[in-house]
Amino acid sequence: MIHAYVSGPPGSGKTTLCKKVCAALKLEQLSTGEILREHIKQRTELGKIAKKCIASKSLVPDDVVIEMLVERMAKANERGWILDGFPRTTEQAVALRMKNITPTVVLILELPTSEIRGRLVGRRFDNKTGDIYHIEFNMPRDPEVAVRLIHRDDDTAEKVPPRIEAYSSYNQPMHREFLSVAYDIDADRPIPDVVTEAIEILRSSKKGPSNQVKEVVKKSLVIEPQPEETEFSPPKSRPVSSIKIEKAPQKIENEIQRLTTDLQDNNIAPKRAPSMEVTKLVDMERFKTMLVSGFDVIKHGRRGAPHTRTLFCDVEFKRLFWQKPDKKELKAKLDQSIALADVIQVVQGMKTDVFKRSGDSSKSDRYLSLIADDRTLDIEVASEELCTLLVNGLTALAS
């Protein structure tokens, strides 16, 4: 069964791709917009909430949209479904996961910024059929259809840049949730070529895990003057717009292989032996850069549901901090940190009471815990490989 998310910048052809792929593979196309309109038309309780939000020109709450999606997915046919343009944020992706909705494949359409503007400004919609046209290269032959086409308000030249910025700030970080099942597709090609590649990916996904994985998150650092030294120095601030997820043509295993080196090569001798024997350690310079830059994880706690947090380290590598994601800069707070000197052990798997309470045994190879005398920091990451990388690297820093 295929459960696919389709993501991509505005104008990249997500809806067109979904329609054609679903027709070819007999899958169900799921669109949050259509599902919202259906609930409003049927006057369901969720539809009434959505109608009030739309009338007041406010966003429909994520929990309402996700409840609608879960209900609709339960009715999908046995071949599977494709979700068009959702989730758009890390929080939405995590919320779906908490409802046991996980994709088997994530298709990420890529389109140059220069091409996005031309596609959006010339795009036209047929409200009667939902079909999408373009005034330059895809106008309908039927004059009756042509006269009823509309140009959406947010497809104007003035509104395109903010939409591109929003995609960079929210959707691209969200893609990190799906490192092991994500496929990039070049959308700057004829539609038949894009559709053919997507179908091949979806068909091959039935045979096993994805064979294309994104590189471990690498983010650009904003170099600023060093502040006055304190007990711990907070990391350099970073505008959201400076964060980029770079593509990698190789599997994450290859990135780990490049990062890991022999313990002897790193000249690091642990002061105490951890429970997990560390035979290899990360290339520490690259690992430290990743930690100071910050990256998103799912933090599990003693109470409440797991939630996404940005994890980062101070420039002295004395403390590991966390904060809510999508902030414009990293801010170190003592009450949201753990001192690496206090960490006795870094372990992988469901070893703590926290994970035994909120964890899922099928994901245990993606769980790691930093254990101190009086507390634990329990986090979930996107893949087993990234988890192993963090366990080895943090063990070295805490030693």
Side-chain angles (χ1 to χ4, degrees):
M1 182 179 292
I2 294 173
H3 292 165
Y5 294 168
V6 174
S7 182
S12 58
K14 297 183 292 293
T15 299
T16 299
L17 176 71
C18 289
K19 283 185 176 181
K20 293 183 178 297
V21 170
C22 285
L25 299 181
K26 295 182 173 58
L27 304 173
E28 291 202 35
Q29 179 184 357
L30 302 182
S31 163
T32 54
E34 291 184 5
I35 293 173
L36 280 169
R37 287 189 287 273
E38 184 179 331
H39 273 267
I40 292 172
K41 183 178 180 180
Q42 295 178 357
R43 298 181 180 180
T44 66
E45 290 302 315
L46 293 174
K48 292 176 183 177
I49 297 173
K51 186 176 182 179
K52 288 181 180 179
C53 293
I54 294 171
S56 63
K57 296 184 179 180
S58 59
L59 294 175
V60 179
D62 283 350
D63 58 342
V64 173
V65 176
I66 288 170
E67 194 64 35
M68 291 179 178
L69 276 173
V70 172
E71 179 184 307
R72 181 66 184 81
M73 287 171 176
K75 301 175 183 177
N77 68 46
E78 60 183 13
R79 298 182 68 88
W81 45 259
I82 296 181
L83 183 53
D84 178 3
F86 194 91
R88 289 182 290 273
T89 68
T90 301
E91 296 294 339
Q92 291 169 349
V94 172
L96 283 169
R97 183 186 302 159
M98 297 304 296
K99 294 285 187 178
N100 294 319
I101 304 297
T102 56
T104 55
V105 176
V106 176
L107 303 178
I108 302 174
L109 303 184
E110 295 193 324
L111 191 67
T113 301
S114 57
E115 181 69 16
I116 293 174
R117 184 184 182 281
R119 288 198 183 187
L120 291 180
V121 173
R123 188 164 65 174
R124 298 295 184 269
F125 288 86
D126 182 350
N127 266 349
K128 185 175 181 179
T129 64
D131 292 334
I132 301 173
Y133 297 92
H134 197 279
I135 58 175
E136 292 183 7
F137 52 79
N138 184 32
M139 281 295 285
R141 295 181 179 180
D142 187 340
E144 291 186 7
V145 175
V147 297
R148 67 173 183 246
L149 297 183
I150 63 169
H151 187 206
R152 285 188 354 186
D153 292 340
D154 57 352
D155 280 350
T156 59
E158 297 77 19
K159 294 185 178 180
V160 170
R163 294 179 66 188
I164 296 174
E165 179 66 23
Y167 176 78
S168 299
S169 298
Y170 295 101
N171 291 64
Q172 287 184 338
M174 179 270 296
H175 295 161
R176 281 173 270 172
E177 297 294 319
F178 309 110
L179 293 176
S180 61
V181 293
Y183 290 80
D184 291 336
I185 296 180
D186 179 8
D188 192 15
R189 296 180 293 165
I191 293 174
D193 294 346
V194 178
V195 172
T196 298
E197 183 176 352
I199 290 174
E200 289 175 353
I201 291 171
L202 291 171
R203 282 176 172 163
S204 65
S205 70
K206 296 180 181 180
K207 302 175 183 178
S210 164
N211 62 359
Q212 175 187 356
V213 185
K214 294 192 182 304
E215 187 179 33
V216 175
V217 178
K218 297 193 295 182
K219 300 178 181 178
S220 58
L221 290 174
V222 178
I223 306 301
E224 297 179 349
Q226 288 292 329
E228 183 179 350
E229 293 291 330
T230 58
E231 179 185 357
F232 60 91
S233 301
K236 306 173 181 67
S237 62
R238 44 138 202 196
V240 171
S241 59
S242 71
I243 301 172
K244 295 182 180 179
I245 302 176
E246 300 179 7
K247 295 187 299 178
Q250 296 176 309
K251 293 183 180 181
I252 199 168
E253 289 93 326
N254 294 336
E255 172 64 13
I256 302 302
Q257 187 174 1
R258 290 196 299 270
L259 282 169
T260 55
T261 58
D262 291 335
L263 179 62
Q264 183 177 0
D265 291 340
N266 280 279
N267 295 318
I268 297 176
K271 297 177 183 177
R272 56 183 180 274
S275 62
M276 176 185 290
E277 181 182 1
V278 180
T279 58
K280 288 187 177 181
L281 287 174
V282 184
D283 177 323
M284 294 308 293
E285 291 306 312
R286 296 183 67 185
F287 182 73
K288 288 178 179 179
T289 298
M290 185 178 78
L291 282 184
V292 173
S293 301
F295 55 98
D296 289 348
V297 300
I298 298 175
K299 183 178 180 294
H300 291 244
R302 297 187 181 279
R303 297 180 298 276
H307 43 264
T308 302
R309 289 292 181 264
T310 298
L311 192 71
F312 60 98
C313 199
D314 64 285
V315 295
E316 297 294 327
F317 302 101
K318 293 181 178 180
R319 284 183 173 270
L320 203 58
F321 298 86
W322 55 89
Q323 68 177 37
K324 290 184 178 180
D326 301 325
K327 297 289 185 181
K328 290 186 177 180
E329 61 181 19
L330 298 175
K331 293 185 178 180
K333 295 183 179 180
L334 276 175
D335 61 348
Q336 296 177 17
S337 72
I338 185 170
L340 289 173
D342 294 340
V343 175
I344 300 170
Q345 196 175 16
V346 184
V347 297
Q348 187 169 0
M350 296 177 64
K351 305 294 177 62
T352 64
D353 291 338
V354 169
F355 276 135
K356 290 175 182 177
R357 181 190 75 84
S358 64
D360 179 346
S361 58
S362 66
K363 302 176 183 177
S364 62
D365 56 6
R366 291 158 43 186
Y367 294 157
L368 69 142
S369 302
L370 283 77
I371 301 175
D373 282 332
D374 58 347
R375 63 180 301 185
T376 63
L377 172 60
D378 304 274
I379 59 176
E380 174 186 348
V381 296
S383 68
E384 179 182 0
E385 294 84 1
L386 180 55
C387 187
T388 302
L389 170 66
L390 288 169
V391 169
N392 289 345
L394 291 171
T395 295
L397 288 177
S399 298

